[in-house]
């Protein structure tokens, strides 16, 4: 039986640009780029998880967000239930706590970055 882990991530967008963050050397999956977020904790809603994770990782406060899409991704051992939210508005100055770099990129630039495998299906979806 596979272990299931629920993950919530934010698609932060400013006009035609998407924010991606590179995982720092001390984090699992170092060097991979991702939409920031993390694991859902017990008794936490997905929206609360998103707000907590973006506060912990980037020190920003999510003011307005909306559910975008979810899907399962993984192997026989671990299935990640991926949940993505569009972050339409946030406040604060981005600081890097779990990442060593961020970039604001246009959609056609995603192919230049080594994205986490679990994020790749949502990138394809964003291009539709």
């Amino acid at each position: 039986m596979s272990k299931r882990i629920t993950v919530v991530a934010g698609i932060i967008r400013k006009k035609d640009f998407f924010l991606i963050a590179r995982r720092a050397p001390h984090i699992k999956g170092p060097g991979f780029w991702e939409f920031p977020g993390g694991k859902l904790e017990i008794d936490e809603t997905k929206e609360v998880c998103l707000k907590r994770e973006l506060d912990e990782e980037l020190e920003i406060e999510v003011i307005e967000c909306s559910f975008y899409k979810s899907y399962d991704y993984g192997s026989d051992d671990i299935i990640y239930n991926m949940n993505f939210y569009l972050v339409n508005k946030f406040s604060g100055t981005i600081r890097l706590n779990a990442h060593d770099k961020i970039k604001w990129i246009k959609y056609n630039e995603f192919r230049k970055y080594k994205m986490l495998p679990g994020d790749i299906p949502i990138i394809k979806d964003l291009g539709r």
Side-chain angles (χ1 to χ4, degrees):
M1 184 168 162
S2 299
K3 180 179 178 181
R4 286 187 63 84
I5 298 172
T6 300
V7 175
V8 182
I11 300 169
I12 303 170
R13 194 172 184 174
K14 282 187 182 179
K15 297 187 181 180
D16 292 339
F17 292 88
F18 297 89
L19 183 135
I20 58 172
R22 188 173 68 185
R23 289 175 166 238
H26 65 281
I27 302 295
K28 184 179 177 184
F32 277 95
W33 291 84
E34 68 175 349
F35 294 110
K39 295 175 190 166
L40 184 73
E41 293 183 356
I42 296 170
D43 295 331
E44 191 175 49
T45 67
K46 291 173 185 167
E47 193 171 303
V48 167
C49 175
L50 174 71
K51 291 177 180 184
R52 176 186 52 76
E53 286 287 347
L54 294 186
D55 178 45
E56 289 174 3
E57 292 186 0
L58 302 175
E59 294 187 25
I60 61 172
E61 180 185 355
V62 174
I63 296 169
E64 184 182 307
C65 65
S66 58
F67 177 76
Y68 182 69
K69 189 170 190 163
S70 67
Y71 53 83
D72 287 343
Y73 179 87
S75 63
D76 292 337
D77 298 332
I78 301 175
I79 300 293
Y80 294 94
N81 174 241
M82 306 292 293
N83 296 270
F84 293 89
Y85 283 76
L86 297 173
V87 177
N88 304 311
K89 191 175 181 184
F90 69 89
S91 67
T93 302
I94 294 173
R95 292 206 162 92
L96 304 179
N97 295 323
H99 303 92
D100 62 3
K101 201 172 203 179
I102 62 164
K103 292 258 186 183
W104 288 96
I105 64 169
K106 289 195 172 196
Y107 179 79
N108 64 358
E109 295 177 280
F110 276 111
R111 60 179 162 39
K112 298 178 184 177
Y113 296 89
K114 184 172 80 170
M115 298 295 294
L116 274 179
D119 284 2
I120 292 172
I122 201 71
I123 294 167
K124 291 177 181 174
D125 191 76
L126 289 168
R128 293 185 184 143

